[in-house]
Amino acid sequence: MWISKRTDYATRALLALALSHDDRPLKTQEVAARTAVPHTTLEQVMLQLRSAGMVRSERGPSGGYRLNRDPSAITLEEVVRVFQGPLAPIACATRKHPEPCPMEVGCSLLGVWRRVRDATIEILQRTTFADLAREAGGSWLAPPLLQQGT
Amino acid sequence: MWISKRTDYATRALLALALSHDDRPLKTQEVAARTAVPHTTLEQVMLQLRSAGMVRSERGPSGGYRLNRDPSAITLEEVVRVFQGPLAPIACATRKHPEPCPMEVGCSLLGVWRRVRDATIEILQRTTFADLAREAGGSWLAPPLLQQGT
DNA sequence: AGCAAACCCGACAATGGTTGTCAGGTAACG
DNA sequence: CGTTACCTGACAACCATTGTCGGGTTTGCT
């Protein structure tokens, strides 16, 4: 339960983009409809993805978003880090600048937390959006007819 | 960063108890000093550990806490579950009552989240407080001379 | 030119969980 | 019978997250 909604939204949005084998970019409205994400919130997320260099935007009508790299060059780990920071389960087990354990040396728990950290990093690093798109069947399986007032 | 302070406190406290090869129980004050945890907060934590059946209490002067089972019968997984609930990184990937993904079928992300969940569960399940105590060197390495006003 | 679509940016209210504390109650030892 | 230490419930302060809004800028179309 430690993946935030925004991280979830970001990964879904990227998957939607990776599945779009179209020449035109995808509008946030389209992405929002397909991923069932509040539109205004998704805009925030896309901005962050853009400044992280994962997506590219085009403005004006007929604008929208598209991936900025090959899907095989975007890992889940990278996305999660952008929205959540360190992947360690606890502050004393981060790779960069671990917070010192007030118990001094000898805390054998540290080893376990580090193992959890490494296991999750390993999985998330191995998974690219090319993999995810392939597993999803190559196209958007869920029909885009979800709720949406207007 | 998803392990809460209280979970951290609980694991540290249990480790302190597992390392106490003494006949008398440990007072919350002692545990608090050795683990560098605010005393009043630690009391809350011990109560939860007690109602979960992991520790046992004795009241009155010369009272305190001791483990209620063999250290090898208490896993980290159990402790974390008591304080945090499900171990899945996201609500749609829990083992019991997963929250349905609004994107309908075909979300290939689910598989990854489940893999992360299983990896963490595996590690935490394998680790007992007997293991942790052994790794810690059998006794409390950090001297109990930490801060503490009174 | 002018309009409308869609991205861009900053700020914000509401929410909810976490953390630490407190006052008072109860059991046990000396 | 008093002190110690566990027990119980409630609570304020804090912090991150979530979703929203108003207004701006760029672009394509008529």
Side-chain angles (χ1 to χ4, degrees), chain A residues 34-64:
Chain A
R34 295 188 192 185
T35 55
V37 170
H39 173 247
T40 54
T41 303
L42 186 73
E43 273 196 328
Q44 304 294 322
V45 170
M46 297 311 288
L47 268 289
Q48 262 185 283
L49 286 176
R50 181 173 149 280
S51 71
M54 295 174 189
V55 301
R56 197 145 71 102
S57 65
E58 289 166 35
R59 304 177 71 156
S62 81

Side-chain angles (χ1 to χ4, degrees), chain A residues 1-3 8 11-12 15 35-36 76 88-90 102-104 108-109 112 115-116 120 123 127 132 136 140 142, chain B residues 1-3 8 11-12 15 34-36 76 88-90 102-104 108-109 112 115-116 120 123 132 136 140 142:
Chain A
M1 244 62 149
W2 50 275
I3 291 285
D8 182 25
T11 54
R12 300 225 288 255
L15 181 55
T35 55
L76 253 190
I90 198 168
M103 282 171 44
E104 311 244 331
S108 48
L109 288 158
V112 184
R115 245 168 287 151
V116 171
T120 56
I123 295 172
T127 311
L132 292 169
W140 201 258
Chain B
M1 246 60 148
W2 50 273
I3 291 285
D8 182 25
T11 55
R12 299 224 288 254
L15 181 55
R34 296 189 191 184
T35 55
L76 254 190
I90 198 170
M103 283 171 44
E104 311 242 333
S108 48
L109 288 158
V112 184
R115 244 170 288 150
V116 171
T120 56
I123 295 172
L132 292 169
W140 200 258

Side-chain angles (χ1 to χ4, degrees), chain A residues 91-102:
Chain A
C92 65
T94 59
R95 281 179 172 171
K96 289 171 62 84
H97 318 305
E99 180 176 291
C101 180

Side-chain angles (χ1 to χ4, degrees), chain B residues 29-80:
Chain B
Q29 291 280 8
E30 295 176 299
V31 178
R34 296 189 191 184
T35 55
V37 170
H39 173 248
T40 54
T41 303
L42 185 73
E43 272 196 328
Q44 305 293 321
V45 171
M46 297 311 288
L47 269 290
Q48 261 183 285
L49 286 177
R50 181 174 150 278
S51 70
M54 295 173 190
V55 301
R56 195 144 71 101
S57 66
E58 289 166 35
R59 302 178 72 155
S62 81
Y65 286 94
R66 53 175 98 240
L67 292 185
N68 195 31
R69 319 180 202 146
D70 193 86
S72 65
I74 307 179
T75 67
L76 254 190
E77 191 229 4
E78 192 183 351
V79 182
V80 176

Side-chain angles (χ1 to χ4, degrees), chain A residues 71-102:
Chain A
S72 66
I74 307 179
T75 67
L76 253 190
E77 191 230 3
E78 193 183 352
V79 182
V80 175
R81 277 197 190 281
V82 165
F83 288 87
Q84 325 235 62
L87 285 167
I90 198 168
C92 65
T94 59
R95 281 179 172 171
K96 289 171 62 84
H97 318 305
E99 180 176 291
C101 180

